[in-house]
Amino acid sequence: MLTPKIPPPDTAPTPGTSLVQPLNGIVHTPACTCHHTPNVAPAPAPTPAAPVARTAVQFTPGSLIVAAAGGTAVVLAVGTVLVSMLLATAITAASVAVCALVLRSLLNNQKGR
C-alpha cells in the first residue's frame, strides 16, 4: 500500500521524448474578412498642431489661505499622532523598568533571608 508505484519500463517516457504531441495541420481563420495586402505602406501621420499655450496656475489670496490652513492642519494631525506614539512607547518603557526593579528587589530580599 505504501510502496511507490513505478510505471513499467516500456511505458515510461525517455529523456529525449515528450508526452505532449505536436500540433500539426491546424489552420487559423483570419482575424478580419477584409481583403487587403499586408505590404501596403501606412499613410503618413498628420503633423500635430501647435500645442495650445497654457496659462500658469494662479492662486487667489483666498485659495492661498485655504492651502496654508490645510497644510498646517495636516502637519498638526500627523505630529499629534507621532508624539502620542512616542509617549506611549516612553510610558511602556518606564513601566517595564519599574517592574524590573521591583522583581530585582524581591529576588534580592529572598536571597538575603
CSV table of all heavy atoms in Angstrom, one decimal, residues 69-94:
chain,number,residue,atom,x,y,z
A,69,ALA,N,-3.8,76.8,5.4
A,69,ALA,CA,-4.6,76.2,6.6
A,69,ALA,C,-4.7,74.7,6.5
A,69,ALA,O,-4.5,74.0,7.4
A,69,ALA,CB,-5.9,76.8,6.6
A,70,GLY,N,-4.9,74.2,5.3
A,70,GLY,CA,-5.0,72.7,5.1
A,70,GLY,C,-3.6,72.1,5.4
A,70,GLY,O,-3.6,71.0,6.0
A,71,GLY,N,-2.6,72.6,4.9
A,71,GLY,CA,-1.2,72.1,5.1
A,71,GLY,C,-0.9,72.1,6.6
A,71,GLY,O,-0.3,71.2,7.1
A,72,THR,N,-1.2,73.2,7.3
A,72,THR,CA,-1.0,73.3,8.7
A,72,THR,C,-1.8,72.2,9.5
A,72,THR,O,-1.3,71.6,10.4
A,72,THR,CB,-1.4,74.7,9.2
A,72,THR,OG1,-0.6,75.7,8.5
A,72,THR,CG2,-1.1,74.9,10.7
A,73,ALA,N,-3.0,72.0,9.1
A,73,ALA,CA,-3.9,71.0,9.7
A,73,ALA,C,-3.3,69.6,9.6
A,73,ALA,O,-3.2,68.8,10.5
A,73,ALA,CB,-5.3,71.1,9.2
A,74,VAL,N,-2.8,69.3,8.4
A,74,VAL,CA,-2.2,68.0,8.1
A,74,VAL,C,-0.9,67.8,9.0
A,74,VAL,O,-0.7,66.8,9.6
A,74,VAL,CB,-1.9,67.8,6.6
A,74,VAL,CG1,-1.0,66.6,6.4
A,74,VAL,CG2,-3.2,67.7,5.8
A,75,VAL,N,-0.1,68.8,9.0
A,75,VAL,CA,1.1,68.8,9.8
A,75,VAL,C,0.8,68.6,11.3
A,75,VAL,O,1.4,67.8,12.0
A,75,VAL,CB,2.0,70.0,9.6
A,75,VAL,CG1,3.1,70.1,10.6
A,75,VAL,CG2,2.6,70.0,8.2
A,76,LEU,N,-0.2,69.3,11.8
A,76,LEU,CA,-0.5,69.2,13.2
A,76,LEU,C,-1.1,67.8,13.5
A,76,LEU,O,-0.8,67.2,14.5
A,76,LEU,CB,-1.5,70.3,13.6
A,76,LEU,CG,-0.9,71.7,13.7
A,76,LEU,CD1,-2.0,72.7,14.0
A,76,LEU,CD2,0.2,71.7,14.7
A,77,ALA,N,-1.9,67.3,12.6
A,77,ALA,CA,-2.5,66.0,12.8
A,77,ALA,C,-1.5,64.9,12.8
A,77,ALA,O,-1.4,64.0,13.7
A,77,ALA,CB,-3.6,65.7,11.8
A,78,VAL,N,-0.6,64.9,11.9
A,78,VAL,CA,0.5,63.9,11.8
A,78,VAL,C,1.4,64.0,13.0
A,78,VAL,O,1.8,63.0,13.6
A,78,VAL,CB,1.2,64.0,10.5
A,78,VAL,CG1,2.5,63.1,10.4
A,78,VAL,CG2,0.3,63.6,9.3
A,79,GLY,N,1.7,65.3,13.4
A,79,GLY,CA,2.6,65.5,14.5
A,79,GLY,C,2.0,65.0,15.8
A,79,GLY,O,2.6,64.4,16.7
A,80,THR,N,0.7,65.2,16.0
A,80,THR,CA,0.0,64.7,17.1
A,80,THR,C,0.0,63.2,17.2
A,80,THR,O,0.3,62.6,18.3
A,80,THR,CB,-1.5,65.2,17.1
A,80,THR,OG1,-1.5,66.6,17.1
A,80,THR,CG2,-2.2,64.7,18.3
A,81,VAL,N,-0.2,62.5,16.1
A,81,VAL,CA,-0.1,61.0,16.1
A,81,VAL,C,1.2,60.5,16.5
A,81,VAL,O,1.4,59.6,17.3
A,81,VAL,CB,-0.6,60.5,14.7
A,81,VAL,CG1,-0.3,59.0,14.6
A,81,VAL,CG2,-2.1,60.8,14.5
A,82,LEU,N,2.3,61.2,15.9
A,82,LEU,CA,3.6,60.7,16.1
A,82,LEU,C,4.0,61.0,17.6
A,82,LEU,O,4.7,60.1,18.2
A,82,LEU,CB,4.6,61.4,15.2
A,82,LEU,CG,4.5,61.0,13.7
A,82,LEU,CD1,5.4,61.8,12.9
A,82,LEU,CD2,4.7,59.5,13.5
A,83,VAL,N,3.7,62.1,18.1
A,83,VAL,CA,4.0,62.4,19.5
A,83,VAL,C,3.3,61.5,20.5
A,83,VAL,O,3.9,61.0,21.5
A,83,VAL,CB,3.7,63.9,19.9
A,83,VAL,CG1,3.7,64.2,21.3
A,83,VAL,CG2,4.7,64.8,19.1
A,84,SER,N,2.0,61.1,20.2
A,84,SER,CA,1.3,60.2,21.0
A,84,SER,C,1.9,58.8,21.0
A,84,SER,O,2.0,58.1,22.0
A,84,SER,CB,-0.2,60.2,20.7
A,84,SER,OG,-0.3,59.6,19.4
A,85,MET,N,2.4,58.4,19.8
A,85,MET,CA,3.1,57.1,19.7
A,85,MET,C,4.4,57.1,20.5
A,85,MET,O,4.7,56.1,21.2
A,85,MET,CB,3.3,56.7,18.2
A,85,MET,CG,2.0,56.4,17.5
A,85,MET,SD,2.3,56.2,15.7
A,85,MET,CE,3.5,54.9,15.6
A,86,LEU,N,5.1,58.2,20.4
A,86,LEU,CA,6.4,58.3,21.2
A,86,LEU,C,6.1,58.3,22.7
A,86,LEU,O,6.8,57.6,23.5
A,86,LEU,CB,7.1,59.6,20.8
A,86,LEU,CG,8.4,59.8,21.5
A,86,LEU,CD1,9.4,58.7,21.1
A,86,LEU,CD2,9.0,61.2,21.1
A,87,LEU,N,5.0,59.0,23.1
A,87,LEU,CA,4.7,59.0,24.5
A,87,LEU,C,4.2,57.6,25.0
A,87,LEU,O,4.6,57.2,26.1
A,87,LEU,CB,3.5,60.0,24.7
A,87,LEU,CG,3.1,60.3,26.2
A,87,LEU,CD1,4.3,60.8,27.0
A,87,LEU,CD2,1.9,61.2,26.2
A,88,ALA,N,3.5,56.9,24.2
A,88,ALA,CA,3.1,55.5,24.6
A,88,ALA,C,4.3,54.6,24.7
A,88,ALA,O,4.4,53.8,25.7
A,88,ALA,CB,2.1,55.0,23.5
A,89,THR,N,5.3,54.8,23.8
A,89,THR,CA,6.5,54.0,23.9
A,89,THR,C,7.3,54.3,25.2
A,89,THR,O,7.8,53.4,25.9
A,89,THR,CB,7.4,54.2,22.7
A,89,THR,OG1,6.6,53.9,21.5
A,89,THR,CG2,8.6,53.3,22.7
A,90,ALA,N,7.3,55.6,25.5
A,90,ALA,CA,8.1,56.0,26.7
A,90,ALA,C,7.4,55.5,28.0
A,90,ALA,O,8.1,55.1,28.9
A,90,ALA,CB,8.2,57.6,26.7
A,91,ILE,N,6.1,55.6,28.0
A,91,ILE,CA,5.4,55.1,29.2
A,91,ILE,C,5.5,53.6,29.4
A,91,ILE,O,5.7,53.1,30.5
A,91,ILE,CB,3.9,55.5,29.1
A,91,ILE,CG1,3.7,57.0,29.3
A,91,ILE,CG2,3.0,54.8,30.2
A,91,ILE,CD1,2.3,57.5,29.0
A,92,THR,N,5.5,52.9,28.3
A,92,THR,CA,5.7,51.4,28.3
A,92,THR,C,7.1,51.1,28.8
A,92,THR,O,7.3,50.2,29.7
A,92,THR,CB,5.4,50.8,26.9
A,92,THR,OG1,4.1,51.2,26.5
A,92,THR,CG2,5.6,49.3,27.0
A,93,ALA,N,8.1,51.8,28.3
A,93,ALA,CA,9.4,51.5,28.7
A,93,ALA,C,9.6,51.8,30.2
A,93,ALA,O,10.3,51.1,30.9
A,93,ALA,CB,10.4,52.4,27.9
A,94,ALA,N,9.0,52.9,30.7
A,94,ALA,CA,9.2,53.3,32.1
A,94,ALA,C,8.5,52.2,33.0
A,94,ALA,O,9.0,51.8,34.0
A,94,ALA,CB,8.6,54.6,32.4
